[in-house]
Amino acid sequence: MIPATLLTNALLVGAVLFCLGLVGILTRRNLIVMFLSAELMLQGVSVTLVAWSRYHGDWGGQVLVVFVLTVAACEAAVALVFVLQAFARTGRLDASAWQALREENLPRVIDHGLPADDRVVPTWPHLTPAGVLPEGDDSRSLERDHV
Amino acid sequence: MDPVAATTFPISGLLLAGSVAALAASLWLLLPKTSDTANSRRLGFLLGTAALIGFAATGRSLGCVGEDAVFLTVAGIAVISGLATIVTRSPVYSAIWFAMALAGVSGVLLVLGAQFLGVATIVVYAGAILVMFLFVLMLAQPSGMAPYDRVSNEPMLAAAAGAVLLGLLTLSIGRLSAAEPPSCCRMPSRAQGMAAAAPAEGAASEDDGSIAPATAGVESVDADEVAHLGAELFGRHLFAVEVAGVLLLVALVGSIAVVSRGEATETDHRRESR
């Protein structure tokens, strides 16, 4: 049994996680990040269920969270297979690549004025070469590439 | 006691509205947009911190376990990592932040006293599901940062919707704690104090505050938690466990079937093109 104050604080944490996941799944366009946001929503629900379960001294909530874990594992397996298939067809992990499936009254998503790719290109250290270059057998190394 | 009831009862409406507005603005500033600059992101971080502090203050006025430092730490880790999960541009970093959020959630579950679920979250989510996500990212991520990671759909509307929903949930949680009798964390220690017939309650209240969380923590730990959960799972919910096992099997077979069928059609296409 937990005190009511810990219950309300845990409910608050669950609500925050749920809302963050909701915002993520509404806004992000990367399919993987959308699934991560869905998992974040599941985490919020799990925290809420466990908090109520501990508050009432009832095991039903925790049993439900065990099943949430199970279904999340199944969902991730099946969903990632579909994501891979979608990537094989379009070459992108973009949800808007499938906008031909949208409702008729919705506008097309058109990307214009994309922000620049502001990643910092990493500079790798240059190592001084040491030792003898091994004798390479080109035919064997080519074979190995295909294994 | 009167001060306890006064801190438990009302939510400051102004504080809540300010936190909601700050959260919406910070989410909008932090989400990937076309008009992003480093300064707007910095402002978003600042506003997000302010919103989190505001919500933490709301939580403190909801309950009085604000002094539980362990809970505050793990909850802060979970919430900040969750925020970073949805605003990070690189999906790989997003997945790693999600692992951090899982660690925080697992800590929250441990503080709540659900030991099995706290460990299972780490093992199943961070160990299996997240690694699967990372594998798919390795297989499918194009080189460099993709353009669709640098923009997002309707960031302003979605941030406002999420923040307003969070405000409404906080209001309902506050109403819940107001409806219930304020059984505060200081209650057990105060009961002990009364049993010991402490003469000066006002002077002892400082000590009560420091003792109370420890007492509550000891009470909330159930030594046979895993055994009880197992008995419940395999007693009352045995049929559901069997159904969950079948579901796992069907998901496994189904995903393999979809993958192999996709490969078969690809080879068919190749044969046709040859």
Side-chain angles (χ1 to χ4, degrees):
Chain A
M1 298 286 281
I2 57 172
T5 52
L6 189 53
L7 169 76
T8 51
N9 284 353
L11 289 183
L12 202 58
V13 172
V16 171
L17 286 179
F18 186 87
C19 292
L20 286 178
L22 180 72
V23 172
I25 206 169
L26 283 177
T27 53
R28 295 306 298 265
R29 280 172 54 180
N30 193 315
L31 288 170
I32 302 276
V33 181
M34 286 172 77
F35 274 109
L36 284 179
S37 306
E39 304 284 334
L40 203 61
M41 291 169 82
L42 283 181
Q43 290 300 311
V45 173
S46 298
V47 169
T48 307
L49 281 173
V50 169
W52 279 117
S53 156
R54 291 293 298 166
Y55 179 68
H56 288 299
D58 183 73
W59 295 98
Q62 299 196 37
V63 169
L64 203 50
V65 175
V66 171
F67 290 122
V68 166
L69 274 178
T70 316
V71 174
C74 297
E75 167 238 318
V78 176
L80 287 179
V81 167
F82 284 124
V83 166
L84 272 183
Q85 298 280 321
F87 178 76
R89 298 211 173 197
T90 61
R92 292 191 290 167
L93 284 175
D94 187 4
S96 297
W98 299 91
Q99 60 178 328
L101 302 175
R102 72 192 185 281
E103 298 269 335
E104 280 182 8
N105 52 356
L106 291 181
R108 275 180 65 85
V109 174
I110 301 170
D111 294 331
H112 40 69
L114 281 177
D117 189 352
D118 56 352
R119 279 174 310 138
V120 180
V121 179
T123 53
W124 307 111
H126 291 285
L127 299 179
T128 47
V132 190
L133 195 67
E135 288 185 13
D137 188 353
D138 284 346
S139 59
R140 281 183 68 189
S141 65
L142 282 180
E143 276 173 21
R144 251 180 230 153
D145 274 349
H146 289 283
V147 167
Chain B
M1 297 290 283
D2 287 342
V4 170
T7 51
T8 314
F9 191 63
I11 296 180
S12 161
L14 203 60
L15 179 66
L16 186 61
S19 309
V20 166
L23 183 70
S26 90
L27 275 176
W28 177 64
L29 284 173
L30 283 175
L31 279 170
K33 291 187 307 298
T34 50
S35 60
D36 267 346
T37 57
N39 277 331
S40 75
R41 273 181 223 164
R42 250 174 244 139
L43 183 62
F45 276 120
L46 279 181
L47 276 176
T49 319
L52 286 186
I53 290 174
F55 275 107
T58 322
R60 184 184 269 265
S61 70
L62 285 181
C64 55
V65 189
E67 57 257 44
D68 193 345
V70 179
F71 183 83
L72 267 188
T73 311
V74 289
I77 289 174
V79 168
I80 291 174
S81 313
L83 181 65
T85 304
I86 66 167
V87 301
T88 310
R89 280 144 184 82
S90 161
V92 178
Y93 283 178
S94 187
I96 292 170
W97 274 116
F98 182 65
M100 198 71 196
L102 284 177
V105 165
S106 148
V108 170
L109 295 186
L110 286 179
V111 170
L112 287 176
Q115 300 143 20
F116 176 75
L117 287 174
V119 177
T121 298
I122 291 286
V123 171
V124 176
Y125 260 103
I129 297 181
L130 197 69
V131 172
M132 203 153 64
F133 275 100
L134 283 174
F135 272 134
V136 170
L137 274 177
M138 278 193 281
L139 283 177
Q141 180 67 12
S143 64
M145 195 172 289
Y148 48 84
D149 283 332
R150 281 177 269 152
V151 288
S152 46
N153 291 329
E154 301 288 347
M156 192 185 297
L157 284 178
V164 167
L165 176 63
L166 182 55
L168 289 178
L169 284 175
T170 312
L171 267 186
S172 63
I173 291 170
R175 190 163 297 161
L176 173 98
S177 75
E180 297 207 351
S183 63
C184 205
C185 55
R186 304 192 178 189
M187 287 286 271
S189 61
R190 202 189 308 140
Q192 287 166 8
M194 282 182 179
E201 270 193 23
S205 65
E206 301 265 332
D207 291 340
D208 284 355
S210 59
I211 293 171
T215 333
V218 169
E219 276 175 3
S220 70
V221 168
D222 185 357
D224 295 331
E225 199 264 346
V226 182
H228 285 154
L229 183 60
E232 183 82 8
L233 255 182
F234 292 99
R236 238 177 103 191
H237 302 279
L238 183 59
F239 183 67
V241 172
E242 300 289 339
V243 171
V246 173
L247 178 67
L248 279 169
L249 180 68
V250 168
L252 184 66
V253 173
S255 51
I256 292 174
V258 172
V259 164
S260 54
R261 209 190 59 182
E263 286 185 353
T265 51
E266 274 177 24
T267 49
D268 289 347
H269 282 309
R270 270 183 221 150
R271 267 179 217 147
E272 283 170 13
S273 62
R274 276 175 199 171

